[in-house]
Amino acid sequence: MKRNYLFALTSLSILALSSLHAQVVNGNFETIKPNSLVSNWGMNYSIPVSIDVATGENTTDVIAYGSCMPAFVFGTTDPHSGDYAMQISNGLNMTQNQVIAAKAEIFNDATQDFPGWNAGVPLAAADQVTMLGFYYKFFPMGETDKASAELVLLDENGEEMGRASALITDAAFNYTYLYAPVQLTHQGTPAYMYIRFSMDVPDATPTFGSTLMIDDVFVNFAALSETQFETSHFGVYPTLADTEINVVRGNHSATGSYQFTITNLEGKTVQQINTELIGDNATRIDVSALPKGIYLISANGYTTKFAKK
């Protein structure tokens, strides 16, 4: 996954959660319709119908869904946070013996159950869309199953001006955070946004019943820090780091001076940092010299972890 940042991260002030979630319509998937579909998210699919030219009778293909729900995209009560998450499960066209790879994309019309022709979600000029981050579980039923996530930014003329892409290749039975920065292709002000999750991935063979669960979709780091760290002592993002990590004070810790100790999994101290955590501002820590691996970061008796890629 490319990590070439085309934006500069300065100290971030944590924004109000309501304004941040407004950028990702129902990004926490808490709005579930009476038919169990997820508001503003879905998949276009029509069941094939064959016509017998001799009799004129219609024959509808038999579809097996990969879950107990007669849908490819729906709400699940197994969330990362809140009450609901979004579940995407591959189906099977039993008549044609073809797997139907499930996918979900965001759309702006809450009155519809499916995207239809999707113009994207409008963005305000002040909206910050710098990354795609989300929590996921992945239950592949086959050896070659993969899943992908994608955010696409369009300008006012409908031309693509940047995207963020992430690939999921390994099973994840507990919620795992994944993010990808937006790679800009030209300057401008984003006017529309698409977000898609799919199990129709090149060089992969989708399997009937494979399932992807998604929750808490974010498009900037400030939104992540609000939800991830609001009840902890401090938090670190991104959890998969390239050259630096950002540390944010949680509500259980006081503003002030902190000495952070980074150790490897063998218990060896590899870095110590003295810094200030003031209010809701993030503090950057340079980890570019660390070898690839998993690390623990501790302060004031509290420990969390991150990975250096």
Side-chain angles (χ1 to χ4, degrees):
M1 187 189 305
K2 295 182 179 178
R3 303 281 175 174
N4 300 320
Y5 285 81
L6 298 183
F7 57 92
L9 265 179
T10 55
S11 295
L12 295 173
S13 295
I14 299 177
L15 306 177
L17 183 60
S18 58
S19 64
L20 292 164
H21 275 308
Q23 292 185 24
V24 183
V25 182
N26 199 22
N28 56 7
F29 308 109
E30 291 302 292
T31 304
I32 304 297
K33 297 187 173 186
N35 58 5
S36 297
L37 299 184
V38 181
S39 179
N40 297 97
W41 294 82
M43 168 180 167
N44 289 325
Y45 183 78
S46 57
I47 299 176
V49 176
S50 301
I51 300 177
D52 189 323
V53 294
T55 64
E57 294 182 353
N58 295 337
T59 302
T60 302
D61 286 4
V62 178
I63 305 299
Y65 296 94
S67 71
C68 59
M69 284 293 301
F72 302 105
V73 181
F74 51 92
T76 175
T77 54
D78 182 11
H80 167 259
S81 66
D83 295 321
Y84 297 98
M86 179 171 67
Q87 180 169 327
I88 308 168
S89 295
N90 290 343
L92 176 68
N93 184 319
M94 298 179 66
T95 304
Q96 301 181 26
N97 194 30
Q98 293 179 346
V99 174
I100 304 166
K103 60 188 72 175
E105 64 181 74
I106 193 172
F107 57 95
N108 201 45
D109 189 351
T111 66
Q112 301 297 316
D113 286 342
F114 307 100
W117 181 81
N118 188 1
V121 175
L123 294 172
D127 286 340
Q128 300 179 28
V129 182
T130 55
M131 51 85 85
L132 173 62
F134 56 94
Y135 288 87
Y136 73 93
K137 289 184 179 182
F138 185 42
F139 303 92
M141 300 298 291
E143 295 182 357
T144 63
D145 278 287
K146 296 179 183 178
S148 66
E150 185 176 62
L151 180 152
V152 179
L153 293 178
L154 304 178
D155 62 19
E156 60 182 3
N157 298 318
E159 297 182 1
E160 181 177 328
M161 58 176 296
R163 69 172 54 211
S165 301
L167 185 64
I168 300 170
T169 59
D170 298 322
F173 303 117
N174 297 307
Y175 273 104
T176 302
Y177 177 70
L178 182 61
Y179 92 103
V182 170
Q183 309 293 321
L184 295 175
T185 55
H186 66 265
Q187 297 298 315
T189 301
Y192 302 94
M193 171 181 69
Y194 291 97
I195 300 177
R196 302 183 181 99
F197 298 96
S198 175
M199 288 188 283
D200 185 9
V201 179
D203 302 323
T205 303
T207 306
F208 172 57
S210 291
T211 293
L212 177 67
M213 294 180 181
I214 301 293
D215 203 4
D216 295 328
V217 180
F218 307 108
V219 293
N220 59 58
F221 288 113
L224 171 65
S225 63
E226 169 71 20
T227 60
Q228 186 176 6
F229 310 140
E230 61 184 357
T231 60
S232 58
H233 295 269
F234 67 87
V236 172
Y237 67 91
T239 52
L240 178 60
D242 188 358
T243 60
E244 65 184 22
I245 58 175
N246 297 271
V247 180
V248 177
R249 182 190 65 86
N251 287 346
H252 290 180
S253 295
T255 291
S257 299
Y258 286 78
Q259 181 182 69
F260 287 98
T261 300
I262 299 177
T263 59
N264 59 24
L265 294 184
E266 297 176 350
K268 180 181 178 181
T269 298
V270 295
Q271 194 171 339
Q272 284 190 319
I273 309 96
N274 293 311
T275 189
E276 297 279 333
L277 294 184
I278 301 175
D280 294 332
N281 294 331
T283 296
R284 289 183 292 173
I285 296 177
D286 184 359
V287 295
S288 58
L290 296 180
K292 177 181 178 180
I294 306 295
Y295 293 91
L296 303 178
I297 179 169
S298 305
N300 293 2
Y302 180 76
T303 300
T304 187
K305 64 182 178 180
F306 68 93
K308 172 67 165 54
K309 79 179 198 69

